[in-house]
Amino acid sequence: METVDARDWLDKLVALTHQEKPGVEDVEKVFEPGGFWRDLAAVTWNLHTAEGSEAIAAMIAGTDAALDNPEITEVEDEGNGVTRVHFTCESANFYVTAVARLRDAKAWTFLTSARELKDFPEPKGRRRPLGTEHKVVKGAKNWADLREERRAALGHTEQPYVLIIGGGQGGIALGARLKRQGVPTLIVDKAGRPGDQWRGRYHSLCLHDPVWYDHLPYLPFPDD
């Protein structure tokens, strides 16, 4: 499949998601009758899989599923008549990355994944928090002072919005994401230190997943 065909499919997808109450026949112009749409918060604010034309039509009708501004980033022939299309787009609330696997110009599987809230952009690059300010400030506090103040305030003068039970990889990852967005969060764990699940691991434990799957937020594995 050439990029122009992928573009044609994307145009049909955008038109479908802008319909208020699409019917099965509308969905089947874009998806196979038994196709899948897996959404990771991008339009449903949840982890949701719609299987088949009726379920996909119901998901579009029941959510603000409109997708806009799609930009193709990669098109690859997987063989056996399957073409994989990677693209970015926008939903009502998120910047989104998406992957579609097409057969006969219709989606067999489709994944949408929320990457960033449009109204709460990531504090990175020029938006990142300032570190040391190079000027004379009476009574200036360093990083350790500010961290100690936050520890003393959390649960007393500042109440957490989120309680995360368990300080393993998932809990630490979620806590890091919430902290970066400025959401007061408390992580509790029965172990003595964060990550003690790894320190007490069984002898033969290893990560069986692809490396990219095991990254911690803002702390990727080394490339070697």
Side-chain angles (χ1 to χ4, degrees), residues 150 154 158-162 174-175 177-186:
R150 185 171 185 276
L154 194 62
E158 178 186 8
Q159 298 302 325
Y161 292 179
V162 179
L174 179 56
R177 293 289 291 119
L178 291 170
K179 181 180 180 181
R180 195 177 194 190
Q181 289 292 347
V183 179
T185 303
L186 181 64

Side-chain angles (χ1 to χ4, degrees), residues 40-69:
L40 306 182
V43 299
T44 62
W45 288 85
N46 208 333
L47 307 183
H48 181 77
T49 300
E51 178 181 354
S53 306
E54 291 187 7
I56 293 172
M59 190 180 92
I60 294 172
T63 62
D64 191 351
L67 300 177
D68 291 295
N69 303 320

Side-chain angles (χ1 to χ4, degrees), residues 96-197:
V96 178
T97 58
V99 183
R101 299 173 76 207
L102 309 181
R103 295 190 296 201
D104 297 323
K106 293 185 179 181
W108 169 27
T109 66
F110 179 43
L111 170 72
T112 45
S113 177
R115 308 308 298 173
E116 184 177 10
L117 281 162
K118 294 161 92 172
D119 290 342
F120 297 91
E122 291 286 327
K124 60 185 180 182
R126 292 184 178 275
R127 293 191 297 269
R128 69 185 297 163
L130 293 175
T132 300
E133 296 187 49
H134 299 288
K135 59 183 180 181
V136 177
V137 178
K138 186 176 181 179
K141 298 172 183 176
N142 66 12
W143 175 83
D145 297 330
L146 295 173
R147 184 178 66 168
E148 198 56 42
E149 280 189 0
R150 185 171 185 276
R151 284 177 170 174
L154 194 62
H156 297 278
T157 58
E158 178 186 8
Q159 298 302 325
Y161 292 179
V162 179
L163 173 66
I164 298 174
I165 300 174
Q169 180 170 354
I172 290 172
L174 179 56
R177 293 289 291 119
L178 291 170
K179 181 180 180 181
R180 195 177 194 190
Q181 289 292 347
V183 179
T185 303
L186 181 64
I187 305 174
V188 297
D189 194 286
K190 67 179 181 180
R193 294 178 294 173
D196 268 350
Q197 293 91 334

